[in-house]
């Protein structure tokens, strides 16, 4: 086994290596991150170079394909370089799979970006993909290679339980998140108290702009946690939190897997009714290390466990919560 990382996920990969060395049999896992150098050209082009032999290895490349598109291209070039260097298997570990919101043709003359990204990875030579909380589960079907789809509920559910909140209710920020909210609510219900579910119905004025949100369900006197797969501009999240607070919620928090946090998202969160927001480290945000409201929960231990099991051909189904 060899583990390498592209530039967008180097810190994430180093933490994965630390966890791998704790759980794997000595000698069967790398003790350090492989030496992958990205050589830039003056025009913005770049070329990945492996500074060590990868011949015959099972090679894991860690890279979130968060915008800009250079991050996806860097992963594709690194995969191509590994295959041309005679790596036996190349497994793309993509904590955040970008372009996933373009998963269908919802109006005429638009691209299906998630399918195109899947085709590009296959064409580059990827043998397997490992990712986390795809925007839609059916994106797994866009790939003609195995996909290990990890869920952040593996870390979020125990984390929420440790908070010991009374009168807990899980909220979905839109209709598409209803399934996720129900799974969280079922896992967080106890014999003494059922965890309720609230559904927020939103209408959009245009892309990334929410016109109106209505909350459906019991809100008054409840501690509410909104669960979602990503926070981009934070417009939906903050507006939903404000609506829930106005309807009598005791407190409103949020758990989202991928913190894209584009534009003024952080400022919006700080100025909203949200008490706390929890995101994972699938997208790097070193500037939020000491943020008073946005907390980062790591997914590196989960990925290390899945990588170790995939490498050793062990079943991974017990690791899936949702």
């Amino acid at each position: 086994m060899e583990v390498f990382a592209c530039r967008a996920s180097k810190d994430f990969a180093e933490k994965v290596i630390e966890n791998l060395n704790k759980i794997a049999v000595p000698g069967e896992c790398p003790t350090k991150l492989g030496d992958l150098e990205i050589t830039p050209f003056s025009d913005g082009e770049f070329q990945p170079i492996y500074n060590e032999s990868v011949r015959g290895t099972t090679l894991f490349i860690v890279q979130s394909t968060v915008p800009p598109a250079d991050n996806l291209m860097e992963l594709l070039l690194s995969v191509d370089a590994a295959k041309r260097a005679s790596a036996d298997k190349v497994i793309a570990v993509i904590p955040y799979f970008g372009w996933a919101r373009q998963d269908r043709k919802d109006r005429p003359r638009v691209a299906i970006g998630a399918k195109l990204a899947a085709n590009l990875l296959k064409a580059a030579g990827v043998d397997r993909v490992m990712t986390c909380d795809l925007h839609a589960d059916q994106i797994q079907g866009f790939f003609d290679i195995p996909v290990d789809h990890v869920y952040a509920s593996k870390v979020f559910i125990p984390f929420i339980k440790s908070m010991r909140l009374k009168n807990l209710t899980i909220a979905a920020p839109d209709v598409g998140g209803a399934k996720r909210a129900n799974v969280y609510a079922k896992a967080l219900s106890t014999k003494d108290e059922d965890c309720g579910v609230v559904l927020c119905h939103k209408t959009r004025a245009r892309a990334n702009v929410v016109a109106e949100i209505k909350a459906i369900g019991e809100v008054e006197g409840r501690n509410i946690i909104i669960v979602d797969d990503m926070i981009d501009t934070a417009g939906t999240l903050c507006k939903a939190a404000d609506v829930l607070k106005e309807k009598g919620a005791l407190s409103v928090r949020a758990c989202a897997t991928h913190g894209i946090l584009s534009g003024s998202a952080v400022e919006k969160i700080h100025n909203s009714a949200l008490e706390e927001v929890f995101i994972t480290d699938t997208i790097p945000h070193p500037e939020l290390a000491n943020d008073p409201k946005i907390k980062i929960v790591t997914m590196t231990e989960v990925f290390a466990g899945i990588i170790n099991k995939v490498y050793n051909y062990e079943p991974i189904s017990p690791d899936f919560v949702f």
Side-chain angles (χ1 to χ4, degrees), residues 193-231:
E193 184 181 2
D194 281 338
C195 181
V197 175
V198 169
L199 181 63
C200 296
H201 179 264
K202 69 181 177 184
T203 55
R204 286 193 182 276
R206 57 184 184 277
N208 289 128
V209 178
V210 178
E212 185 183 22
I213 290 182
K214 294 180 180 178
I216 304 167
E218 185 182 349
V219 174
E220 190 172 354
R222 309 292 293 183
N223 289 303
I224 296 179
I225 297 180
I226 302 170
V227 295
D228 206 356
D229 65 316
M230 64 174 67
I231 302 173

Side-chain angles (χ1 to χ4, degrees), residues 72-89:
L72 174 59
M73 192 65 189
E74 191 174 316
L75 174 61
L76 295 171
L77 289 171
S78 298
V79 171
D80 184 71
K83 296 300 281 190
R84 294 178 188 279
S86 300
D88 181 37
K89 292 180 182 175

Side-chain angles (χ1 to χ4, degrees), residues 32-154:
K32 62 182 181 63
L33 198 61
D35 189 1
L36 174 61
E37 179 183 351
I38 309 296
T39 302
F41 296 96
S42 60
D43 63 350
E45 208 174 292
F46 47 82
Q47 183 179 51
I49 303 169
Y50 291 90
N51 290 326
E52 56 188 86
S53 175
V54 296
R55 185 179 297 274
T57 62
T58 297
L59 191 147
F60 294 84
I61 304 177
V62 184
Q63 172 80 327
S64 283
T65 55
V66 62
D70 282 2
N71 288 321
L72 174 59
M73 192 65 189
E74 191 174 316
L75 174 61
L76 295 171
L77 289 171
S78 298
V79 171
D80 184 71
K83 296 300 281 190
R84 294 178 188 279
S86 300
D88 181 37
K89 292 180 182 175
V90 177
I91 300 172
V93 181
I94 310 174
Y96 169 68
F97 181 72
W99 313 97
R101 282 174 284 183
Q102 300 179 44
D103 62 346
R104 63 197 181 280
K105 193 172 178 182
D106 55 355
R107 58 183 185 269
R109 299 175 297 280
V110 296
I112 304 179
K115 174 60 176 172
L116 177 59
N119 287 344
L120 289 169
L121 288 163
K122 177 75 184 318
V126 171
D127 296 290
R128 188 182 199 99
V129 168
M130 199 174 290
T131 189
C132 178
D133 271 349
L134 289 166
H135 190 60
D137 287 345
Q138 63 265 26
I139 292 174
Q140 296 174 73
F142 291 177
F143 291 88
D144 296 325
I145 52 178
V147 176
D148 298 312
H149 189 201
V150 181
Y151 295 102
S153 52
K154 176 77 173 177

Side-chain angles (χ1 to χ4, degrees), residues 10 13 90 128 161 183 207-208 230 276 289 296:
K10 199 160 189 178
V90 177
R128 188 182 199 99
K161 285 181 178 178
V183 170
N208 289 128
M230 64 174 67
E276 295 175 298
I296 298 175

Side-chain angles (χ1 to χ4, degrees), residues 133-194:
D133 271 349
L134 289 166
H135 190 60
D137 287 345
Q138 63 265 26
I139 292 174
Q140 296 174 73
F142 291 177
F143 291 88
D144 296 325
I145 52 178
V147 176
D148 298 312
H149 189 201
V150 181
Y151 295 102
S153 52
K154 176 77 173 177
V155 295
F156 276 145
I157 288 175
F159 185 79
I160 295 170
K161 285 181 178 178
S162 71
M163 296 168 69
R164 300 184 182 279
L165 294 172
K166 299 294 184 181
N167 301 318
L168 179 63
T169 290
I170 299 298
D174 51 37
V175 176
K179 178 184 174 184
R180 181 183 293 105
N182 277 306
V183 170
Y184 272 75
K186 184 177 179 181
L188 293 166
S189 294
T190 65
K191 61 180 181 181
D192 300 320
E193 184 181 2
D194 281 338

Side-chain angles (χ1 to χ4, degrees), residues 230-267:
M230 64 174 67
I231 302 173
D232 188 356
T233 63
T236 298
L237 178 65
C238 293
K239 194 156 190 173
D242 292 340
V243 168
L244 292 168
K245 196 71 174 178
E246 287 169 9
K247 291 193 71 174
L250 291 176
S251 66
V252 184
R253 295 172 173 82
C255 289
T257 309
H258 310 297
I260 302 171
L261 303 179
S262 60
S264 59
V266 173
E267 183 182 350

